[in-house]
Amino acid sequence: MLSIAEKVLFAIAVMGSASLAYRGFSNVVKVIRRGTGEPLKVDLDRFFRALGQWIIMKPIWKTRTLADVFHVMIAWGFVFYFLVNLGDVLQGYFPVQFLGAGAVGVAYRFLADVFSVSVLVGMVWFLLRRFALGSRRQLVIRENVKVMEAARAGGITRDSVIVGVFILAHVGFRFLGETFTLAQERLHTGHGDPGQPFAHAVSGLWEGLDESALVVGQHVSWWLALGLILAFVPYFPYSKHFHLIMSGVNFLVKPDRPSLGALDPVDFEDEALEQIGVARIEDLPRKHLIDAYACIMCNRCQDACPAYVTGKELSPAALEVNKRYYLNLNLAALAAGEASAETMLDFALSESALWACTTCGACVDICPVGNEPMFDLLHLRRHQVLMESAFPQELQPAFRGMERNGNPWNRSAADRMAWAEGRSVPTIDENPDAELLWWVGCAPSYDPRAQRTAQALAKVMNAAGVRFAVLGGRESCTGDSARRAGNEYLFYERAQANIETLNEVAPKRIVTTCPHCLHTLGKEYAAMGGAYEVIHHTQLLAELAAAGKLDLPGGEASGAVTFHDPCYLGRHNGVVDEPREVLDALRLPVVEMPRHGTKSFCCGAGGAQMWKEEEPGAAAVNATRFDEAAATGAQTLAVGCPFCLTMMDDASKAAGEGMAVKDVVEIVAERLGDRA
Amino acid sequence: MNIAVCLKQTPDTETRVQIAGDGVSVLEDDVQWIINPYDEAAVEAALRLTEAHGGEVTVFSLGPPRVEKALREALAMGAHRAVRLHADAVPADPRVTARALTAALRDGGFDLILAGQQAVDDDQAQTPQRIAQALDFACVTNVEELTVEGGRGAARRVLEGVQEVSSFPLPAVLGVNLRLNEPRYPSFKGIMQAKRKPIDVIEAELAEPKLVVERLAYPPEKAAGRVFEGVEAVPEVVRLLHEEAKVI
């Protein structure tokens, strides 16, 4: 127990620390509340779900297993230390043993002992990782990426060292304090507390010290352990250690999106609408301001980012780091309601970085704290296109095409059915009782290579007796490319028109050739009044195969196939098994690329990249992905998306590897031969 | 500097033209209307000049109410005012069009009158020259670079094997081509502002046409391409290229 003087002193220190910390914490709250969008919704159900996520840390385990193990050793220990600190303060002020001498107390002290050591070990590993181990390179952001001076000049390292040393010292001194306490016990009872095995072992060091020395050691340790907390708390909201709380807050307020990348619609009917998208940091939705505080700067997102990996100026990690440093440096002014002096393009990322994103969603998927950097980019693009009309010139013909002719190729709407000439492809007017409405899509309608996918699907559906129909001339672009390029207004117009058509047709079920149509129709139109059941053609094929409706002759054993998961099929829509089930039904040996399923690596065409030149970098995204496919030794690269088809086909031709690139349905149609 | 731009609303270049029952006009039902791309370049050039030198851009178009969509698009790009010269149909005779435009432009006090050198639908390429003639202004056609400084303009044109730069006093009438610039894409802000800008409608002074369209017909269908295979076909291909296609 503390002396009266110590008790008074500690109480004063607590008040001092709290008043210093209050300003920082309240400023963070004020800044986040400046963000746009719906007020953050929280209910009990969400609370318990978030608490579960926060404690289990499930998203962490997707990659870097060793770091994850050490992280959990620290994180669980640190969480347990909330209890430990409370107990230590109570024991300092009152002559009690926290949680008593019974089973609960015994268990508590055992866990405190074990967690102390686990935190210390874990923290030492993380400091080694930052400065000595090979994996420290994961913490570097490449020079061509915009990073704010304060962060680039050692800010992150300094912050990390402060946090690391604080944790080591706080937990270390608390542990030492226990060893002094146990040594005192031994003086009185002749034995220590073997229920705290680590502290018990270390307490042996103090053999021979008299009681007064042990008491001094105990008090000094108590003061250092808890005093460090008081010293650290005012710094906490500026430190990346804040992720400890803000990751939980992020889990708590993250919207329940229909898919990982589904965007919220803008209400263009709203007369008061003036600001669209994001120019300055305070324009960001609240959730994306919280992202900056939740980020621990682990750079997992940049490792997964196809733009970063191929040497572009984009790093989603740098974006979050810059947001955080900008908020830290301007916290008081922003909290006071001032407009930020710079736009996000001034400090957070370059224009080339903004237009390098393929919207593959890998950054959102991999983030252990629920951040969504891709959304920031899309909000920034919206502002650039709709408010500034500043975007890569090559996108203009695609915009014009979607606007005027209903397809980004800007080909005549009258030619939409040209691919189907001479084939049995009924329109909905010809076959109003169709069970399945086939949304063919622009690429399969107009692109000569992708037309073969549409022709193959028509052949397979006819052979399987599927009663389908197409919209024919009434079909028009879903607007996905416009939306991902930031042209939300064009997307809105497309969506309105298509929803009107579809609601009139009222299809029982829709099948799409393209995963981008799948995503837009299935996950994004619902928010605008168009809810439909939508499946991808590989899902239909898997269904037909399982129902025995695909009469596939054996054929000769052909070579191995590797399947490239399109981002908007696997990661955005969770369709991973069905394409493989189809290949299995064909009895084709499937070899997997290292990055597959929801961890697939983009082909480089998403996010409207299809319509523009790739941003400058070290390598082309499609070539990088193709090399990975070629390295499997498979003879055929199977895809499920017309954009992937183009990108992989181009890469295959450029590499001269002779690897065939085919849509899954083309492989099925080939097996059917001439029988259909 | 105040600039007038004459623009025509034309069908999108991807439109499949369908001849109407009267045999002399085109069905307008499924037509996607756009600003004639040459005129769009003229609007862009006018906007850039007023952004640099101040002043206003007024866009003029002759035709029925449907052409207001094209005027609205020009307003969304940033034009300040728009005038529709009302006519029940767009005249087929360029002389009628030019006369109506001249009447509207004559007292406008414009320093510069810009138009595309031709429209993608009828390709007559007469409007700028006729307006200049009627107003007795200098006229340059096929302009692909334009500068204005101190009351004079200079235009560059690319001719067969040579580039020509000419200068002229203002006011002047210019017919521009597509290489002049890349027209801007209207921002949403621009589209919203355009909705609030008024479009003046005045009755067009339509002269009696001297030119009458007698008949529209589809061009003869192109014969399908022929495919030759193997080296042994080369002499035959050479002979056909020489005798039938007459390209070698």
Side-chain angles (χ1 to χ4, degrees), chain B residues 47-146:
Chain B
L47 292 173
R48 289 185 193 182
L49 285 172
T50 53
E51 279 158 9
H53 301 284
E56 289 201 337
V57 176
T58 308
V59 286
F60 291 82
S61 191
L62 171 65
R66 68 159 161 84
V67 308
E68 286 185 15
K69 179 168 170 274
L71 290 171
R72 201 66 79 185
E73 282 167 25
L75 291 173
M77 287 172 75
H80 302 81
R81 302 193 304 123
V83 180
R84 177 168 72 84
L85 307 180
H86 176 75
D88 293 331
V90 177
D93 185 347
R95 180 179 142 275
V96 177
T97 307
R99 279 198 168 206
L101 285 167
T102 306
L105 293 165
R106 188 182 297 275
D107 299 322
F110 297 107
D111 301 296
L112 205 54
I113 296 169
L114 299 181
Q117 65 176 12
Q118 70 203 76
V120 293
D121 54 357
D122 63 12
D123 280 330
Q124 290 280 12
Q126 300 184 21
T127 304
Q129 299 91 315
R130 284 181 175 275
I131 294 172
Q133 171 73 23
L135 296 174
D136 195 24
F137 289 174
C139 181
V140 188
T141 57
N142 202 21
V143 173
E144 64 176 65
E145 199 176 290
L146 174 64

Side-chain angles (χ1 to χ4, degrees), chain A residues 5 235 307 316 332 410 476 490 521 568 582 590 616 618 653:
Chain A
Y235 175 67
N410 201 12
S476 122
L490 178 52
L521 295 176
Y568 277 78
V582 177
V590 177
K653 282 178 188 136

Side-chain angles (χ1 to χ4, degrees), chain A residues 254-265 372 375 483 518-528 571-574:
Chain A
K254 190 170 178 172
D256 292 318
R257 306 187 194 281
S259 76
L260 146 158
L263 290 167
D264 293 329
E372 304 174 309
F375 282 79
R483 184 168 232 200
L518 171 76
H519 185 251
T520 312
L521 295 176
K523 307 289 184 188
E524 296 196 314
Y525 276 8
M528 303 171 77
R571 197 154 38 235
H572 286 263
N573 278 285

